[in-house]
Amino acid sequence: MPRIVCSAFATLMLVLASTAARAAEPTPAPTAAPPRTVLYLNAARLDFYYNRFLIEGDGNVRVRTSDGFTVTGDAFSMDLKLNRFMIAGHVTMHDATGTVSGAAIADFLDFRRIYFVPVTSEPDRWTFLNGDLAHPVKGREMPGDAFYFPEVNEHPSVTGTGAVIDSKTYVRFINAHTYFLNSGVPLGTYVVNFSSNQYFAQNTLSGASVDLTWTMAGSPNALTALHLRYDPTYKTYLSVEQHLVGDHEYAIFSVNPATRAEKWWNLALYEKLGSRFQIQSFTQYYTQQAWLREPQAAQQTTFINATYAFPHSYVTASSQLTNYSLLGPGSLQPHGTVAGSLDHPSQLQVTASSFQNKIGNLPLYEQIYEGYGFNHDTVGGDQYLQGFPGHGAPIPIPGLQAFGAPCPDQHGVKPPPGASAVYYCPVYTTIWNTVLGFNLFTPSIKLNQPESPYETYYFNASFNKQYQWNSLPHWISTTNENFSISRQFTRALNTYVGYQILNVGDHYIKGGYLPCEPVNTSTCPLSFTSFRGVSTQRTTSLGLNDAPNPEFNFSLLVRHHDDYPTAVPGLFGLPPNNIIGQPLYTSYLGQAPYDATGDVRFKILSHAMLDLSRTFYWYGNPYRTTFWQPTFVVQLLPI
Amino acid sequence: MRRIAFAVSALWLAVVLLAASAGNIVVSGQLLAYQDGYVFFTTGDGFHVAQDIVIRDAKTGGPTALHPAPRIWARATFDPNGRVTELDLSRAPLAPQGSFADVARFAVALSSPVPNPDLLDAATTPPPGQTTVATQHFSGRPVLVTFIVQVPPYTPFTSSIYIATDQSGWNAQAIPMDRVDALHYQITRRFASGTVFRYLYNRGSLQTQEIAQNGLARKPRELVVTDADVRVLRDTVYAWQDAAPGGLNQVQPQIMPTPYNPAPFPNLPPGLPPPQPPAGKPPR
């Protein structure tokens, strides 16, 4: 009852906050769309410099523009980011009003200014304003760098003989070649997308150790790419990805790996409707099939997320639907089928969150949230298998969790003959939950007032409390407290000391976690026998960063975990690592009591930095076990 | 006597050469075009070419296979009448020599110069509050830009924070940041003034990108690097796309099979039995 009252109160507060603030909603100011121009470019040779977004062309240059004129000349230069181009040497400009010859022409597309050096009886300087090619302004002073060629010393990334350039969006090279070990690799067409629309960067491919991308087709709203990839699991393979992008939506589809029997078909969709609502989804369809033959296994999982924004709060609905086998009942028996479980769980959570609000004039901010939802599974996964390991084979059970008295069967299924396992009833196939929580934090408080800012100490703190009540009668309480004191010693050097306490309690109203057994064994050490579903993780951190210049950075993080249950080497599973060797999740039971992570970044190329990091773990007494993170994490970062 | 005559002749020749060279002006720069009896430099200025122009290699002073053309660097010698009498060519940039201001009077143009209202006076200080690109002068000087971001209080302590920019094709890990305290990360980068780019913070991938305070996807922040020695930007991330408040029940797409029961301890030892009610007391 108290939790219902709390939830109802929080809902009321959220709605009131939304209503009261509606009048203060700002009106968005209209912005003018930038002019868009398409250039159709041909030349004896075109060079593209990826790191500077430059196109340089020489010999028989011909440019036709969507603005209605054609220019020929000896040399071409375009800065795609500045959105301006220049043609020089024996220039001829032709449009509906006639033909004029000259020495050079520069088109500043963003500003709708064309600067021309014609040669009639003598040279002159003409400026065309706002696309009016019939009435040049003669003699007008020009920008000092209107006709400058950029200085390039490196090898081009891509060469070609033609290009279609859509200003501020993409360029498609024709007869393109790229270079590997100074050898030309023919690409046919090659598309470079440099749109500022971040949706083009969304991708649905999983990580890979190496990815060579051939973007073979593109338009202002689409991009098609073929990826040659390598990872330790699937080795070398090809993948395909298609982007369809608009101003307020995107659709991204991929097959990865496309040339292996195990294929992951991914589809990400996003749409923003109006200014307050967005919906997005991600669907992953897994098949095991040779090329496009009938699959031997097929799984699917879909995430759907919808958000509605209020003036001072928002509501999010998140859902996940999974089918571990789409081949259907009876499909597991045919020879050659590798499909596994017929499990098809689903989950929905609706959460309302307030904005971060300052509390009066205090240096404190609060945020509250609450949610309702359910998890549903009639077949059962492998969490909380019924029957005790060591007391019989794992028993497939229907539902999410069995919690009750021993019973002879579950949903009519009896234990396997000879198994000593115990079935419990009832089995929960749907678990409803209510979540209520809040954040309280203070961004930065000065602890002293010295003359020098490099002698100032800052204090930060945050506090999070969350309850989750479940229809299977248990409730989960999470408390997370963070404190830190930091100081910037010089412009380059800063340090901090942090302390975190994370309490997680899984409280069953009746019963709960049982003691492990047999005690004092490798699977049930003495330090673990008193665990009853409540953990406390205390972490002390010392961090140091030294960045003497933007091209070099060193950081060190040393931590001490004083946790309950006590960490025992090999007892708790370690989190799996991602493709580059970092743990997938960062807070878990059994963390090594000490760890130290060093990270160094330094510039190796004009536009790239190398990032090297590695972590060392040690357990201290009595185990004295030590180990390194399996490999160095090496990343090449573009500047 | 013969010795004196030789000395006088040499002196006279030196005086003549000195006088002749005093009337010539030498300027180096990059060619824009060479056509119709004119040579054009990348300043946009065109100059008359003498009929008997001499073309040499800029490095050796001897004959060259290079032809005056766009992109070629040239050292031009002007006679007192403003005609280019010699061009020394090179594919590599030449050391700056002379000033085009000294030969501007020789540039040929049919029309009289007219001021351009589009162009800003470099010495003019923009009035307070005007920060837009169209009205501001940028020198292109390197500017140290420090980004300091405050992250949501529930951000995992060991999270890595990055800045993704449109300059790097929205590479999610383009600019890694360093933690400075429980809630803040910072990084300093050097940009040329006048640089304009858009950026967003993330936790290592575009699926962990920041979202707006109202829970919707946010528009990228835009930065115009203005002339300064140092700039400090202070931003706030209100929420992450994958870790909104109340996310205990949220599942991670990387983990298959997904644990559908929202239990809090994903890595308990296998020797631990599942939670159960006390014997003989089933829950109500």
Side-chain angles (χ1 to χ4, degrees):
Chain A
M1 188 63 186
R3 67 185 165 110
I4 296 174
V5 174
C6 288
S7 299
F9 176 73
T11 305
L12 182 64
M13 293 306 291
L14 283 172
V15 170
L16 287 176
S18 307
T19 310
R22 192 161 295 157
E25 181 189 0
T27 305
T31 54
R36 180 184 163 215
T37 302
V38 182
L39 307 180
Y40 302 89
L41 166 67
N42 286 287
R45 178 187 167 104
L46 292 175
D47 292 339
F48 174 62
Y49 301 89
Y50 218 132
N51 57 350
R52 296 174 62 185
F53 287 92
L54 294 175
I55 299 176
E56 302 297 314
D58 289 290
N60 299 322
V61 171
R62 177 186 170 82
V63 175
R64 180 167 60 87
T65 78
S66 60
D67 293 337
F69 63 92
T70 302
V71 182
T72 60
D74 295 337
F76 174 88
S77 177
M78 182 167 192
D79 188 317
L80 297 174
K81 291 290 185 181
L82 292 179
N83 204 25
R84 54 190 251 193
F85 69 88
M86 190 256 287
I87 300 165
H90 301 96
V91 167
T92 301
M93 179 184 178
H94 176 79
D95 73 333
T97 62
T99 301
V100 190
S101 297
I105 186 169
D107 193 341
F108 286 36
L109 295 168
D110 279 351
F111 302 97
R112 306 205 69 199
R113 296 288 187 270
I114 298 175
Y115 303 104
F116 187 37
V117 179
V119 182
T120 50
S121 59
E122 285 192 326
D124 202 358
R125 287 182 181 245
W126 294 357
T127 301
F128 299 101
L129 307 177
N130 303 317
D132 181 2
L133 300 176
H135 304 95
V137 179
K138 297 183 178 180
R140 202 184 220 208
E141 190 184 356
M142 295 180 178
D145 63 347
F147 300 108
Y148 270 50
F149 288 106
E151 192 178 332
V152 284
N153 300 315
E154 61 263 51
H155 290 289
S157 316
V158 175
T159 62
T161 58
V164 178
I165 305 167
D166 196 326
S167 61
K168 291 193 165 181
T169 308
Y170 80 100
V171 54
R172 183 172 72 242
F173 290 97
I174 298 158
N175 193 21
H177 287 68
T178 188
Y179 294 87
F180 183 70
L181 299 176
N182 286 332
S183 298
V185 180
L187 295 174
T189 60
Y190 184 76
V191 176
V192 175
N193 187 295
F194 55 98
S195 168
S196 60
N197 186 336
Q198 76 271 28
Y199 298 152
F200 273 110
Q202 295 285 347
N203 75 76
T204 57
L205 299 174
S206 56
S209 305
V210 178
D211 186 323
L212 300 175
T213 304
W214 174 30
T215 43
M216 53 189 175
S219 76
N221 301 102
L223 194 62
T224 307
L226 185 68
H227 298 256
L228 176 62
R229 318 185 96 208
Y230 174 84
D231 70 48
T233 305
Y234 298 111
K235 309 300 179 188
T236 306
Y237 56 89
L238 293 173
S239 300
V240 180
E241 189 170 44
Q242 173 68 47
H243 290 72
L244 299 168
V245 171
D247 289 338
H248 306 288
E249 58 276 308
Y250 63 75
I252 299 160
F253 168 76
S254 69
V255 189
N256 174 56
T259 53
R260 287 280 178 269
E262 293 187 342
K263 296 180 177 65
W264 303 87
W265 308 70
N266 303 309
L267 175 66
L269 302 171
Y270 171 83
E271 175 72 61
K272 187 174 183 186
L273 297 166
S275 61
R276 293 188 180 279
F277 181 73
Q278 72 176 25
I279 185 165
Q280 61 192 116
S281 72
F282 175 75
T283 296
Q284 188 168 70
Y285 173 59
Y286 165 80
T287 60
Q288 176 142 355
Q289 59 184 143
W291 300 107
L292 294 177
R293 291 184 193 149
E294 185 179 7
Q296 294 173 292
Q299 297 179 355
Q300 157 268 327
T301 188
T302 299
F303 297 84
I304 303 172
N305 189 295
T307 302
Y308 189 87
F310 294 98
H312 277 213
S313 64
Y314 61 94
V315 176
T316 298
S318 307
S319 174
Q320 185 181 0
L321 314 157
T322 299
N323 275 293
Y324 284 100
S325 176
L326 291 173
L327 301 182
S331 63
L332 306 185
Q333 283 75 35
H335 176 70
T337 300
V338 294
S341 165
L342 290 174
D343 196 13
H344 50 278
S346 57
Q347 173 244 322
L348 173 68
Q349 193 77 17
V350 179
T351 307
S353 304
S354 75
F355 284 9
Q356 295 172 358
N357 300 303
K358 194 172 185 185
I359 302 175
N361 290 324
L362 299 172
L364 274 177
Y365 292 79
E366 58 81 18
Q367 180 180 34
I368 58 172
Y369 56 89
E370 66 164 320
Y372 308 91
F374 69 83
N375 292 52
H376 176 71
D377 188 354
T378 55
V379 177
D382 60 358
Q383 193 174 21
Y384 293 152
L385 285 174
Q386 299 309 289
F388 298 173
H391 295 273
I395 303 168
I397 60 129
L400 291 166
Q401 185 174 343
F403 187 81
C407 53
D409 62 73
Q410 287 179 340
H411 291 247
V413 178
K414 293 181 179 299
S420 58
V422 180
Y423 275 164
Y424 293 94
C425 296
V427 172
Y428 288 78
T429 56
T430 302
I431 298 177
W432 295 83
N433 71 73
T434 302
V435 174
L436 182 64
F438 69 92
N439 294 306
L440 197 63
F441 64 97
T442 178
S444 275
I445 295 176
K446 278 185 179 181
L447 294 180
N448 57 345
Q449 300 288 342
E451 290 184 3
S452 168
Y454 294 133
E455 294 174 357
T456 308
Y457 289 90
Y458 290 92
F459 174 75
N460 293 270
S462 67
F463 178 81
N464 169 263
K465 183 73 185 178
Q466 177 174 300
Y467 290 99
Q468 178 173 333
W469 296 279
N470 299 283
S471 59
L472 185 151
H474 73 124
W475 52 279
I476 301 164
S477 160
T478 308
T479 310
N480 193 348
E481 296 147 292
N482 265 300
F483 310 92
S484 77
I485 294 175
S486 61
R487 176 179 167 181
Q488 187 94 24
F489 283 89
T490 65
R491 192 192 60 76
L493 181 69
N494 78 280
T495 61
Y496 63 90
V497 177
Y499 189 65
Q500 180 187 36
I501 307 169
L502 174 63
N503 287 96
V504 179
D506 190 4
H507 306 279
Y508 282 77
I509 298 171
K510 300 281 187 184
Y513 288 80
L514 303 175
C516 64
E517 56 181 18
V519 296
N520 204 14
T521 60
S522 60
T523 57
C524 185
L526 291 174
S527 64
F528 191 59
T529 53
S530 59
F531 177 74
R532 294 292 184 277
V534 178
S535 73
T536 301
Q537 295 168 266
R538 303 178 194 85
T539 305
T540 308
S541 308
L542 172 64
L544 176 149
N545 297 305
D546 184 25
N549 59 63
E551 286 78 35
F552 179 84
N553 180 293
F554 170 74
S555 63
L556 178 69
L557 173 64
V558 181
R559 299 191 302 168
H560 170 50
H561 304 281
D562 182 10
D563 295 349
Y564 178 79
T566 306
V568 176
L571 180 64
F572 300 92
L574 291 173
N577 290 330
N578 65 14
I579 198 72
I580 59 173
Q582 297 162 325
L584 271 179
Y585 48 91
T586 55
S587 182
Y588 53 93
L589 297 183
Q591 295 185 85
Y594 300 91
D595 62 61
T597 302
D599 184 294
V600 62
R601 289 193 296 270
F602 52 91
K603 189 176 177 179
I604 56 168
L605 295 170
S606 60
H607 286 78
M609 295 184 83
L610 189 67
D611 187 344
L612 289 170
S613 69
R614 204 173 188 195
T615 304
F616 181 68
Y617 301 89
W618 71 100
Y619 280 79
N621 289 324
Y623 302 104
R624 307 182 71 82
T625 303
T626 62
F627 62 96
W628 287 89
Q629 188 178 352
T631 56
F632 280 103
V633 176
V634 182
Q635 287 181 277
L636 197 61
L637 306 166
I639 299 177
Chain B
M1 185 64 186
R2 187 180 291 176
R3 189 178 296 171
I4 294 172
F6 179 76
V8 169
S9 301
L11 186 64
W12 180 81
L13 185 61
V15 169
V16 167
L17 286 174
L18 196 64
S21 65
N24 289 345
I25 302 173
V26 179
V27 174
S28 65
Q30 195 173 22
L31 295 185
L32 186 64
Y34 184 80
Q35 63 185 80
D36 305 321
Y38 299 94
V39 59
F40 295 87
F41 284 85
T42 51
T43 57
D45 293 325
F47 303 96
H48 280 294
V49 172
Q51 290 213 337
D52 54 348
I53 185 170
V54 177
I55 295 178
R56 292 195 172 109
D57 186 290
K59 194 171 182 182
T60 64
T64 177
L66 289 177
H67 297 286
R71 300 185 199 279
I72 297 291
W73 291 82
R75 188 164 50 235
T77 304
F78 291 78
D79 67 14
N81 296 321
R83 290 179 181 274
V84 178
T85 58
E86 182 178 329
L87 281 176
D88 303 331
L89 305 181
S90 167
R91 285 198 187 279
L94 295 172
Q97 190 171 350
S99 168
F100 278 95
D102 297 336
V103 295
R105 64 184 187 278
F106 302 141
V108 182
L110 278 175
S111 307
S112 302
V114 178
N116 184 346
D118 291 343
L119 302 179
L120 295 169
D121 184 352
T124 304
T125 302
Q130 284 200 1
T131 56
T132 54
V133 180
T135 58
Q136 204 161 1
H137 172 77
F138 301 109
S139 67
R141 62 188 284 194
V143 179
L144 285 175
V145 180
T146 298
F147 299 85
I148 301 174
V149 63
Q150 178 185 316
V151 297
Y154 49 82
T155 303
F157 188 81
T158 52
S159 284
S160 299
I161 306 295
Y162 300 84
I163 303 174
T165 78
D166 62 345
Q167 294 288 314
S168 55
W170 295 107
N171 181 322
Q173 300 186 349
I175 303 178
M177 305 187 76
D178 301 306
R179 182 184 275 279
V180 292
D181 60 41
L183 290 172
H184 296 87
Y185 288 74
Q186 96 177 20
I187 190 68
T188 299
R189 280 285 180 268
R190 186 178 284 128
F191 299 98
S193 82
T195 302
V196 182
F197 68 91
R198 293 157 194 82
Y199 66 100
L200 286 168
Y201 296 96
N202 68 72
R203 297 196 347 270
S205 71
L206 294 171
Q207 286 72 43
T208 58
Q209 198 162 265
E210 64 170 315
I211 55 177
Q213 181 157 220
N214 62 6
L216 304 176
R218 67 158 295 152
K219 283 185 177 177
R221 305 163 194 273
E222 185 169 290
L223 171 64
V224 180
V225 182
T226 50
D227 281 337
D229 292 332
V230 177
R231 281 197 64 185
V232 177
L233 299 173
R234 295 179 189 278
D235 295 319
T236 300
V237 171
Y238 294 102
W240 303 110
Q241 183 176 313
D242 67 319
L248 182 68
N249 205 28
Q250 286 194 328
V251 288
Q252 300 298 314
Q254 306 98 309
I255 300 171
M256 293 283 282
T258 304
Y260 270 84
N261 190 342
F265 304 115
N267 66 332
L268 285 174
L272 189 71
Q276 290 301 332
K281 294 181 180 177
R284 282 177 293 176

